[in-house]
């Protein structure tokens, strides 16, 4: 039952080595044996998404895929054990012109849930919707900047023509970053109806949705990739952690995300735990580290500084280091994560990743040095105004609020800072803070979800680049330049070196307060669920069709 370690460990980038040539790839994701869906299981989740509008371009982040994933597929999927890319709606693909073009051969005979056939027209329609003005998808900026056009060769063959080389492009069209919608159905019923009553090609069909309460899915028989194990899946939104555990104990739900502080209670009740190693890399964002050309840029934020004044930038760097040194990461791992995890070195790569340069260390705990640096930077009595700490738990990362609370306490105790706490949810945060970049004087704890992509840039580019929809750390030209080099570098070993340079840039700039890399924790009822393989490096529960019922 224990998931395999994610593909960011020493074995990393297994599949990406295949991208160094333009040979035809023929991955397989077929069922090993037919099976018939059976029974019902209920999943307790803290959220059902941001908008609960069931089209891929109307959900602003991964959270929305909790509801979208059973319905929609993409051109490629991911192996649940390794994260390697596998066939989904395409049967094979070719990289051409050193990654400047990508040719996909689509599966024939795949049906949408209404019985209509999937073709190239649906891919192009979905791509155009993803980059349209109405789209709020986190994939929008990347796809819009990267894809010049999609050529339809015939109903089952398309070619993506890119504006620049991208040997990592498969990660842009993997499930969770992209989903294919029926063009004919959307045009027939309109966007509102298509979002309320979605149809896709996935292993489940949505049959009921009660806003902010629940979703019910029914399995598609003889699915072209893999028929679901359970006939019916019910997602129930329960925001309270203790309430979810109580419902699991009483049999109202069968599996749920669980806070670390509740794991002993769960085990004592006879429930089983599943861990996904390295599913969240926690760091605290020091908001406002924006490109100076942005209207929201404020050079007066102590950890930002004035780009026109090198001395000011050095003082800001000392402030960031002080805010790191003032926080006891080991104490947080023990108190918040019940001893599970290890101090993180950057805000994106797990510490055991091959993308961490040898010799790179996590920032330690030294409150005296922290106070000295803050004084040296010109703030012996703390800052002139309060800073804000947003307390915001996410699915699979309930401890984000707890980490923020504890870090605020360390800053108050060791640096004399005044921190105002503010509970907030993702639906409020996304449009008013992350998207709008209104983050000056604002901090928040983020559990970055690595996901086991063969190339980690596919998870980072929605959170790290200057033009990303969200920016979790800082808008740095050096990171943008390294990311561009990664996309065009066909040599795997050189790509690893570029990722290490990214990590060093973040580590040596102290742009975020690094905390810990920790697993995701789920509790389940072994009398209902026989097995449930969870994707490596993934904080969100997914792959509902992979669960096997006890018969």
């Amino acid at each position: 039952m224990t998931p395999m370690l994610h593909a960011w460990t020493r074995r990393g980038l297994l599949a990406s080595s295949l991208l160094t040539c333009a040979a035809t790839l023929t991955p397989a994701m077929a069922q090993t044996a037919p099976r018939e869906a059976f029974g019902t299981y209920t999943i307790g989740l803290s959220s059902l998404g941001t908008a609960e509008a069931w089209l891929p371009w109307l959900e602003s982040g991964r959270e929305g895929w909790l509801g979208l994933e059973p319905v929609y597929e993409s051109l490629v999927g991911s192996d649940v054990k390794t994260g390697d890319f596998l066939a989904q709606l395409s049967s094979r693909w070719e990289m051409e012109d050193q990654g400047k073009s990508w040719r996909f051969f689509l599966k024939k005979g795949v049906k949408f849930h209404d019985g209509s056939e999937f073709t190239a027209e649906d891919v192009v329609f979905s791509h155009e919707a993803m980059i349209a003005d109405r789209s709020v998808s986190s994939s929008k900026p990347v796809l819009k900047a990267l894809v010049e056009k999609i050529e339809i060769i015939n109903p089952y063959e398309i070619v993506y023509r890119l504006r620049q080389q991208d040997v990592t492009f498969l990660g842009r069209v993997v499930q969770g970053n992209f989903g294919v919608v029926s063009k004919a159905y959307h045009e027939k019923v309109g966007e509102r109806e298509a979002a309320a009553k979605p149809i896709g090609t996935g292993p489940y069909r949505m049959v009921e949705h009660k806003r902010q309460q629940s979703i019910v899915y029914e399995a598609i028989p003889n699915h072209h990739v893999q028929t679901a194990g359970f006939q019916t899946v019910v997602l129930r939104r329960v925001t309270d952690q203790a309430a979810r555990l109580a419902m699991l104990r009483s049999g109202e739900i069968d599996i749920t995300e669980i806070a670390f502080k509740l794991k002993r209670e769960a085990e004592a009740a006879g429930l089983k735990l599943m861990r996904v190693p390295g599913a969240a890399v926690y760091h605290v964002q020091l908001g406002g580290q924006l490109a100076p050309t942005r209207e929201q840029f404020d050079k007066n934020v102590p950890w930002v500084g004035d780009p026109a004044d090198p001395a000011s930038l050095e003082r800001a760097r000392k402030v960031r280091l002080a805010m790191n040194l003032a926080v006891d990461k080991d104490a947080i791992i023990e108190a918040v994560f019940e001893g599970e995890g290890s101090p993180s070195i950057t805000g994106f790569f797990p510490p055991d990743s091959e993308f961490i340069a040898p010799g790179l260390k996590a920032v330690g705990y030294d409150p005296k040095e922290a106070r000295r640096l803050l004084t040296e930077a010109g703030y012996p009595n703390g800052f002139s105004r309060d800073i804000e700490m947003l307390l915001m738990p996410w699915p699979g990362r309930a401890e984000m609020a707890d980490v923020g609370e504890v870090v605020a306490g360390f800053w108050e105790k060791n640096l004399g800072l005044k921190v105002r706490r503010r509970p907030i949810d993702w639906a409020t945060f996304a449009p008013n803070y992350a998207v709008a970049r209104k983050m000056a004087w604002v901090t928040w704890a983020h559990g970055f979800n690595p996901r086991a992509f063969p190339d980690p840039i596919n998870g980072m580019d929605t959170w790290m680049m200057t033009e990303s929809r969200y920016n979790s750390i800082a808008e740095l030209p050096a990171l943008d330049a390294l990311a561009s080099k990664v996309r065009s570098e066909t040599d795997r070993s050189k790509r690893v070196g570029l990722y290490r340079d990214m990590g060093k840039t973040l580590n040596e700039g102290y742009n975020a307060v690094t905390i810990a890399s920790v697993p995701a924790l789920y509790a389940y009822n072994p009398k209902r669920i026989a097995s449930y393989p969870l994707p490596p490096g993934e904080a969100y529960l997914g792959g509902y069709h992979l669960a096997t019922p006890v018969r």
Side-chain angles (χ1 to χ4, degrees):
M1 286 295 297
T2 302
M4 294 180 63
L5 290 174
H6 52 74
W8 287 29
T9 56
R10 301 295 173 187
R11 66 172 293 279
L13 289 182
L14 174 64
S16 63
S17 63
L18 298 175
L19 303 182
T20 59
C21 65
T24 300
L25 303 181
T26 56
M29 196 177 177
Q31 301 180 159
T32 56
R35 65 174 178 173
E36 184 177 339
F38 169 83
T40 298
Y41 81 121
T42 301
I43 302 172
L45 296 170
S46 58
S47 171
L48 297 179
T50 306
E52 294 188 44
W54 307 118
L55 289 170
W57 50 87
L58 298 183
E59 282 288 344
S60 59
R62 281 284 295 151
E63 192 169 328
W65 281 89
L66 291 166
L68 293 168
E69 184 189 292
V71 176
Y72 296 110
E73 295 179 299
S74 188
L75 294 177
V76 297
S78 298
D79 185 282
V80 72
K81 293 181 179 180
T82 66
D84 297 336
F85 294 128
L86 298 172
Q88 200 166 74
L89 287 175
S90 62
S91 57
R92 59 190 178 95
W93 50 82
E94 297 173 356
M95 184 180 78
E96 301 173 346
D97 193 18
Q98 297 292 294
K100 193 77 181 294
S101 297
W102 285 82
R103 187 178 302 269
F104 292 88
F105 300 88
L106 308 181
K107 288 183 178 179
K108 298 180 180 180
V110 175
K111 303 291 185 181
F112 286 101
H113 298 157
D114 65 353
S116 61
E117 188 169 1
F118 156 73
T119 70
E121 294 282 353
D122 302 302
V123 180
V124 174
F125 170 79
S126 300
H127 170 80
E128 291 175 348
M130 289 287 280
I131 65 172
D133 290 343
R134 69 185 186 281
S135 172
V136 298
S137 169
S138 58
S139 297
K140 174 182 175 178
V142 177
L143 289 174
K144 191 170 185 177
L146 186 60
V147 179
E148 182 177 6
K149 62 180 178 179
I150 303 176
E151 294 180 4
I152 296 179
I153 307 303
N154 61 58
Y156 303 102
E157 183 180 344
I158 58 173
V159 180
Y160 278 80
R161 304 293 185 190
L162 309 184
R163 293 187 174 90
Q164 65 183 70
Q165 284 178 264
D166 189 356
V167 300
T168 73
F169 182 71
L170 289 180
R172 323 291 173 188
V173 291
V174 71
Q175 189 182 38
N177 284 351
F178 183 69
V180 177
V181 175
S182 168
K183 176 183 178 182
Y185 177 70
H186 187 280
E187 291 178 345
K188 176 182 177 181
V189 303
E191 182 137 302
R192 182 187 294 271
E193 182 77 0
K197 298 178 180 179
I199 67 163
T201 60
Y204 282 104
R205 178 173 60 92
M206 186 182 293
V207 296
E208 181 183 88
H209 170 223
K210 295 180 180 178
R211 186 168 181 80
Q212 296 191 342
Q213 295 183 52
S214 62
I215 309 174
V216 180
Y217 302 92
E218 293 290 335
I220 301 299
N222 302 314
H223 189 261
H224 73 99
V225 175
Q226 180 171 334
T227 301
F230 280 91
Q231 175 62 32
T232 304
V233 177
V234 181
L235 307 185
R236 288 188 61 179
R237 178 178 180 265
V238 184
T239 57
D240 184 81
Q241 299 171 13
R244 288 198 303 273
L245 179 56
M247 293 171 68
L248 184 59
R249 295 180 64 176
S250 69
E252 293 179 74
I253 61 177
D254 301 304
I255 184 171
T256 187
E257 57 192 275
I258 187 172
F260 284 87
K261 63 186 177 183
L262 298 176
K263 70 177 184 180
R264 290 185 178 85
E265 181 181 345
E267 289 175 320
L271 302 170
K272 295 294 185 181
L273 298 181
M274 292 190 291
R275 291 171 173 82
V276 183
V281 183
Y282 277 81
H283 60 270
V284 173
Q285 176 180 347
L286 305 175
Q289 297 180 72
L290 306 175
T293 53
R294 287 193 184 272
E295 181 182 352
Q296 304 93 325
F297 178 78
D298 184 354
K299 65 183 181 182
N300 297 312
V301 178
W303 56 78
V304 173
D306 183 356
D309 181 357
S312 172
L313 291 181
E314 179 57 25
R315 289 193 297 271
R317 182 178 178 274
K318 289 180 178 179
V319 169
R320 296 194 299 270
L321 176 54
M323 296 177 79
N324 268 273
L325 289 168
V327 177
D328 189 341
K329 287 81 170 180
D330 289 325
I332 291 176
I333 291 171
E334 289 299 320
V336 177
F337 300 110
E338 296 287 321
E340 297 198 38
S342 56
S344 53
I345 298 172
T346 76
F348 290 96
F349 303 124
D352 63 346
S353 165
E354 67 173 337
F355 306 115
I356 297 292
L360 210 60
K361 302 293 185 182
V363 178
Y365 178 52
D366 191 338
K368 290 184 179 179
E369 177 65 5
R371 176 68 84 162
R372 187 193 71 79
L373 284 168
L374 198 67
T375 299
E376 193 174 280
Y379 304 97
N381 301 311
F383 304 146
S384 61
R385 55 170 284 182
D386 294 357
I387 60 178
E388 188 172 42
M389 173 66 78
L390 304 180
L391 305 178
M392 178 173 49
W394 284 1
R397 288 153 292 176
E399 288 78 14
M400 279 171 53
D402 297 330
V403 169
E405 180 65 53
V406 175
V407 169
F410 277 120
W411 286 343
E412 291 169 331
K413 174 185 175 182
N414 293 327
L415 297 177
L417 304 183
K418 297 177 182 179
V419 185
R420 184 175 69 256
R421 282 80 159 169
R422 182 186 174 193
I424 192 173
D425 60 21
W426 169 258
T428 303
F429 171 82
N432 296 317
Y433 287 87
V435 177
R437 300 292 204 269
K438 296 178 181 179
M439 296 292 288
W441 296 94
V442 176
T443 64
W444 64 289
H446 180 202
F448 176 72
N449 178 199
R451 304 181 70 191
F453 288 124
D455 261 280
I457 192 70
N458 297 140
M460 298 164 67
D461 59 12
T462 57
W463 282 103
M464 193 180 76
M465 309 308 153
T466 299
E467 296 305 319
S468 298
R469 183 169 180 82
Y470 311 109
N471 190 285
S472 180
I473 294 186
E475 296 182 350
L476 301 175
L479 289 180
D480 294 339
L482 287 168
S484 182
K485 290 180 180 178
V486 162
R487 295 186 183 109
S488 61
E489 180 54 67
T490 59
D491 186 293
R492 176 188 178 278
S493 63
K494 291 181 180 179
R495 282 207 302 283
V496 172
L498 291 168
Y499 285 122
R500 290 178 176 180
D501 289 343
M502 284 185 180
K504 288 175 65 177
T505 298
L506 293 168
N507 177 266
E508 295 171 358
Y510 311 108
N511 299 97
V513 178
T514 52
I515 305 295
S517 176
V518 303
L521 193 62
Y522 296 94
Y524 71 100
N525 182 353
K527 296 179 181 179
R528 296 280 300 131
I529 300 174
S531 66
Y532 192 162
L534 298 180
E538 176 63 82
Y540 292 101
L541 194 64
Y544 309 138
H545 65 292
L546 298 174
T548 300
V550 173
R551 292 180 181 259

